[in-house]
Amino acid sequence: MMLYGDDEYRREELIRNIEHQIEQMTLRQLEMLHYELSTKDYSSEG
């Protein structure tokens, strides 16, 4: 059994939640999300 605090488990849980939310988005919302992600620099985080 994996512990909730396990980083890999938490990462997979977040990915599943994000995927579910993305599947519910309209094309316009996806375009706005894509723009936001492409204009932010997340490479320095993590």
Side-chain angles (χ1 to χ4, degrees), residues 1 5-6 9 18-21 24 32 34 39 41-42:
M1 178 179 163
D6 179 47
Y9 176 78
I18 291 167
E19 285 175 341
H20 176 73
Q21 291 176 355
Q24 309 305 312
M32 291 187 315
H34 178 263
T39 59
D41 180 17
Y42 294 104

Side-chain angles (χ1 to χ4, degrees), residues 9-37:
Y9 176 78
R10 180 66 178 143
R11 183 180 184 279
E12 293 298 322
E13 181 181 44
L14 287 169
I15 289 171
R16 282 191 303 274
N17 288 339
I18 291 167
E19 285 175 341
H20 176 73
Q21 291 176 355
I22 287 173
E23 289 171 348
Q24 309 305 312
M25 289 181 169
T26 64
L27 176 58
R28 181 68 179 137
Q29 289 171 322
L30 288 169
E31 289 171 338
M32 291 187 315
L33 177 60
H34 178 263
Y35 176 79
E36 285 293 316
L37 292 173

